[in-house]
């Protein structure tokens, strides 16, 4: 029963704000830890859940319907969404604004945008680009030293990303029915990718 309800919950595109908000909080907090910022855990434990509820409640009602119109604005609204959550997380957790957290949160927004994918050729290729480009982004950031090398652990999820992208591309000729569960699969990819990224930041702090 619980597993079925979770699957149904993931299959509705309406649930992306909660998924995106939660993983953004986790990744941002881990990134702050890696950078050595002093975190006020009392404020974090009280303020971050409240902020998450606010992001997935009232703000969602006003923000998302007004901006999502096509593939470009869909990506932008997701990036804006996770950016707001990341900046708010840094302020609640440390009492200061750390704009550098936006660097770490871009991949989260890119994958999150795939949860609300469209059903046409442009949407299919946009989806593949959004999902797969995050791996190139992490690799480049790791190589040039912006991220710790431990972040390459996210490549463990690459087969999942390829599978999702292949399904989306195949739906161009095979029919939209192929993407029936793609929202849930993309949400799962978002969770796995983000959790591994967060673990990498946290572990790198103490290595």
């Amino acid at each position: 029963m619980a597993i079925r309800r979770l699957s149904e919950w993931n299959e509705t595109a309406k649930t992306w704000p909660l998924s995106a908000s939660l993983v953004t909080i986790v990744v941002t907090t881990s990134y702050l830890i890696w950078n050595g910022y002093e975190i006020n855990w009392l404020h974090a434990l009280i303020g971050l859940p409240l902020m998450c509820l606010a992001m997935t409640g009232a703000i969602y009602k006003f923000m998302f319907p007004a901006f999502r119109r096509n593939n470009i604005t869909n990506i932008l609204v997701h990036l804006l969404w996770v950016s707001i959550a990341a900046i708010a997380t840094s302020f609640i957790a440390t009492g200061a604004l750390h704009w550098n957290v936006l660097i770490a949160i871009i991949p989260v927004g890119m994958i999150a945008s795939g949860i609300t994918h469209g059903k046409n050729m442009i949407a299919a290729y946009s989806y593949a680009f959004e999902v797969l480009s995050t791996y190139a982004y992490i690799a480049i950031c790791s190589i040039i030293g912006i991220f710790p090398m431990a972040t390459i652990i996210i490549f463990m999820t690459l087969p999942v990303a390829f599978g999702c992208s292949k399904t989306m591309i195949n739906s161009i000729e095979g029919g939209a029915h192929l993407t029936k569960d793609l929202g849930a699969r993309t949400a799962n990819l978002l969770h796995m990718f983000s959790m591994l990224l967060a673990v990498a930041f946290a572990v790198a702090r103490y290595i």
Side-chain angles (χ1 to χ4, degrees), residues 21 24-25 28-29 32 48 51 84-94:
S21 297
T24 296
I25 289 172
T28 302
T29 303
L32 292 170
L48 292 181
M51 187 269 290
I84 293 173
I87 293 299
T89 297
S90 72
F91 182 76
I92 293 171
T94 67

Side-chain angles (χ1 to χ4, degrees), residues 64-79 113-114 116-120 122-124 126-127 130:
F64 187 64
F67 287 95
R68 184 173 179 266
R69 292 291 183 271
N70 54 53
N71 294 313
I72 300 299
T73 55
N74 184 46
I75 295 175
L76 293 178
V77 76
H78 283 81
L79 289 174
S113 67
T116 55
H117 59 82
K119 298 182 182 299
N120 55 56
I122 295 177
S126 294
Y127 174 94
E130 292 162 22

Side-chain angles (χ1 to χ4, degrees), residues 1-13:
M1 176 69 73
I3 294 177
R4 189 182 73 215
R5 288 186 176 181
L6 178 61
S7 177
E8 292 172 351
W9 184 84
N10 269 336
E11 285 176 354
T12 61

Side-chain angles (χ1 to χ4, degrees), residues 15-31:
T15 60
W16 75 262
L18 180 57
S19 292
S21 297
L22 286 172
V23 297
T24 296
I25 289 172
V26 174
V27 171
T28 302
T29 303
S30 296
Y31 182 79

Side-chain angles (χ1 to χ4, degrees), residues 118-166:
K119 298 182 182 299
N120 55 56
M121 184 173 68
I122 295 177
Y125 284 107
S126 294
Y127 174 94
F129 172 77
E130 292 162 22
V131 171
L132 297 178
S133 65
T134 59
Y135 294 87
Y137 179 85
I138 294 294
I140 292 172
C141 288
S142 300
I143 292 172
I144 65 179
I146 295 177
F147 293 163
M149 286 301 297
T151 55
I152 61 173
I153 193 176
I154 57 94
F155 277 84
M156 292 176 61
T157 64
L158 188 57
V160 180
F162 268 125
C164 290
S165 298
K166 183 178 180 180

